[in-house]
Amino acid sequence: MKLACAALVITAGLLVPAPAQAADVPRLVRPTGHQPVGTTAIHLTDTSRPDPWVPGSAARELMVTVWYPAAAPGGRHARYMSPRESELYLAGKRITDLPADTLSRVRTYAYLDARPAGRARSLPLVVLSPGYTQPRGTLTGLAEDLASHGYVVAGIDHTHETYAVTFPGGRIATCAACELTEDDAFFRKLYAGRAADVSFVLDRLTGPRPAWRGSSLIDASRIAMSGHSAGGASAIAAMAGDCRIDAGIDMDGTTRGIVPSGGLSRPFLFLGTQAEHSPGGRDVSWDDDWKRLTGWRRWIVMAGTVHGSFTDLTLLADQLGIDLGATTTGTRSLELTRRYNRAFFDQHLRHRPQPLLDRASPRFPEMVIAAR
């Protein structure tokens, strides 16, 4: 069962050189909105519960990156990840044919700690959750684009579920969960833990003691979530447990029957690969859970893609001369991912009808509406 894309590797875990020449400096794609993007990292500690992966821990610590519309461009561009994070991530994925600091050199477009812009309580909030073993940074391209269109975006690193989470002072948490057997019970525990992480982050961004200086810009009545792989399945778990989340997207994540038996009545989008997540495809959990989505729903398939195509990974693989097996380029798949995530949020958080969610678009022939 597909879990999360091993960045820059194909299914067999082997690097495959592509004929294209690798880029000297890997880079994301410029955001499409008109607003400059700021970003900042915040450290949160939930003292109400222990860490689910570390026995005897006193609290659950999280690192969260917030992307947001900035008052003006300027200052330093944010780092994609640190050299040490890049080293540990590539080692965890058993990728030895790239320099250890490769992912620390990725060019981003958000300005570090730029001044937030907007009116009080005017900006919708989108929470992003990455795939299992993937860091929050792998959804940077999507986050920057949403922020450039006037969204506040919070990307969560679910501690001990990826190879390196760096806390203030340089302390690094590694992947304790990676030592465990990955069965259904494991993933149900993971989804439940991520749902708790999301609710805690919402408390700290929209509650009485906000952890971010721009929190007053957030309209707490307009909140949604999107996630990749395990992060997408966790969107269902989070929505089932927290009524503040108005709408959700699962990008190619196996759901394992987690939609409540009574149904989920808020808007939800399945966005998947053709082979794995078409109706009747290899992952039957979507067919089962689709029946229990009782509100607005769409099932859209992106042709020519692989599991990592909904993240930055296929884009970066193309630039580094690595073939992941997708026939849709990383640049195009990121464009499609951005466009359909934004259309869904514009419709359900801003109440702006989006025809491309209802019928095929000649601009995006790769996108097939499989069910509604």
Side-chain angles (χ1 to χ4, degrees), residues 217-228:
L217 303 177
I218 296 172
D219 179 355
S221 70
R222 294 187 291 162
I223 297 174
M225 180 174 173
S226 180
H228 172 243

Side-chain angles (χ1 to χ4, degrees), residues 52-116:
W53 309 112
V54 181
S57 65
R60 174 71 162 162
E61 289 186 88
L62 298 171
M63 290 302 299
V64 177
T65 293
V66 181
W67 292 267
Y68 52 88
R76 291 184 295 132
H77 284 101
R79 196 159 56 177
Y80 192 71
M81 63 176 69
S82 73
R84 181 61 174 157
E85 288 167 340
S86 175
E87 177 185 0
L88 290 172
Y89 180 78
L90 294 177
K93 293 300 182 184
R94 298 186 297 279
I95 299 169
T96 59
D97 291 19
L98 294 174
D101 69 342
T102 295
L103 297 177
S104 71
R105 294 185 282 109
V106 173
R107 163 69 188 273
T108 73
Y109 289 92
Y111 297 98
L112 186 64
D113 297 327
R115 183 163 60 88

Side-chain angles (χ1 to χ4, degrees), residues 127-139:
V127 177
L128 297 182
S129 179
Y132 174 52
T133 76
Q134 303 296 341
R136 66 195 191 274
T138 54
L139 297 174

Side-chain angles (χ1 to χ4, degrees), residues 1-38:
M1 203 134 339
K2 193 84 76 171
L3 301 177
C5 172
L8 316 178
V9 276
I10 61 174
T11 303
L14 302 174
L15 293 173
V16 180
Q21 187 174 355
D24 291 333
V25 179
R27 63 183 59 228
L28 302 181
V29 176
R30 188 178 297 277
T32 61
H34 298 299
Q35 296 180 262
V37 177

